[in-house]
Amino acid sequence: MYISTTNSTNTLMKELLAKGEWREGERFLYTAFQTAGRGQAGNGWESEEGKNLLCSILLPPNKNLYFLNIAIGVALLRVIGEDFTIKWPNDIYFGDKKVAGILIENAIIGNEIKYSIAGIGLNVNQTTFVSDAPNPVSLKQIRGQEYDIERLMNHLFETVQRVLNESEQEVWAYYKSHLYRREGFWPFEDKDGPFEAAIKDVLPTGEIVLEDKKGQERIYHFKQVRYVI
């Protein structure tokens, strides 16, 4: 489903689902412009009109909610290139610059997951960023070429379907092998201050496992630790 302008594709999809107005069998919603694009933890998402890939995908329920995060990240990497990495939990990076973000939202009624929505913002043809986001970059800036956004989007949707049909073990292995700063010691910061650590693992429940230079293992949930870039 295409709509030229909306506040947020995730918000609109949730509203349509709640009202029973979402078309049966439809899995994809995309737009040319979001007036209130959203990222993780309430952050905004800057996007110049008609320049980027902005979409939401309705996903089948999965008991492992974090697996959906990594599956979408893996699909994005397979579409845009092996020289990109996944910054835990699911931002897509080129070097130390962010090219894409993913927001997974779940509808849970009682103990049952009714549906999940993956919102994706991929910087494609935008070359000027004016927000206070610290490190955005686009495919055009990286590759030096203009992209057909609709073709890129169709490729992504097909790839997501393929990834979701793969074994979780295979998808996890790909995710871990393409993590940002996956080798060596790097600067991090938590509530107690800065430290250096290496990424040891990412758990199926989404926590990152770090090992500092003293050999101490540190386990963090999202937003409990940050990369120092």
Side-chain angles (χ1 to χ4, degrees):
M1 178 187 295
Y2 172 76
I3 185 166
S4 59
T5 301
T6 186
N7 51 0
S8 154
T9 56
N10 266 29
T11 299
L12 177 59
M13 184 180 282
K14 286 192 297 183
E15 290 173 353
L16 293 174
L17 284 163
K19 294 175 182 177
E21 296 176 1
W22 184 254
R23 290 200 297 260
E24 184 73 26
E26 187 78 59
R27 290 288 179 268
F28 208 48
L29 173 65
Y30 67 103
T31 187
F33 184 62
Q34 292 184 138
T35 59
R38 296 183 293 122
Q40 292 281 8
N43 296 327
W45 185 264
E46 177 192 357
S47 182
E48 186 179 347
E49 185 170 359
K51 295 288 186 179
N52 302 309
L53 193 162
L54 306 168
C55 67
S56 292
I57 304 175
L58 183 61
L59 300 170
N62 189 302
K63 291 181 181 179
N64 184 347
L65 296 178
Y66 189 71
F67 174 73
L68 296 177
N69 281 276
I70 71 162
I72 300 300
V74 166
L76 265 171
L77 245 64
R78 290 184 180 174
V79 168
I80 63 178
E82 291 284 324
D83 50 346
F84 290 82
T85 57
I86 304 172
K87 177 175 167 285
W88 175 84
N90 59 9
D91 286 334
I92 307 301
Y93 266 53
F94 184 81
D96 290 328
K97 291 185 176 292
K98 182 176 177 178
V99 71
I102 299 164
L103 176 63
I104 305 285
E105 297 185 288
N106 306 288
I108 301 175
I109 299 177
N111 294 322
E112 182 182 353
I113 303 166
K114 191 173 182 182
Y115 60 80
S116 296
I117 297 172
I120 300 166
L122 172 64
N123 297 330
V124 182
N125 294 322
Q126 185 167 340
T127 56
T128 301
F129 294 88
V130 297
S131 75
D132 58 359
N135 57 348
V137 71
S138 69
L139 295 182
K140 184 175 181 179
Q141 289 175 313
I142 295 166
R143 305 294 195 209
Q145 67 181 68
E146 193 90 6
Y147 284 80
D148 182 320
I149 294 174
E150 189 167 352
R151 181 179 296 177
L152 193 66
M153 189 164 43
N154 288 335
H155 186 193
L156 173 62
F157 186 52
E158 293 167 0
T159 305
V160 167
Q161 297 294 100
R162 286 198 298 271
V163 170
L164 290 175
N165 286 327
E166 294 177 10
S167 70
E168 291 196 10
Q169 182 179 7
E170 184 178 357
V171 177
W172 267 105
Y174 187 99
Y175 173 83
K176 291 180 182 181
S177 69
H178 289 78
L179 278 172
Y180 172 72
R181 294 183 174 179
R182 64 187 176 276
E183 297 178 356
F185 285 84
W186 296 91
F188 291 86
E189 187 172 17
D190 64 10
K191 62 181 178 60
D192 298 318
F195 64 97
E196 288 191 2
I199 297 174
K200 187 175 180 181
D201 199 4
V202 177
L203 302 179
T205 46
E207 296 92 343
I208 192 169
V209 182
L210 303 178
E211 186 176 296
D212 64 26
K213 287 195 167 182
K214 295 179 181 179
Q216 179 182 350
E217 191 176 277
R218 302 169 177 235
I219 301 176
Y220 296 96
H221 293 279
F222 180 52
K223 290 296 183 182
Q224 290 182 333
V225 67
R226 72 176 186 89
Y227 294 81
V228 178
I229 299 174

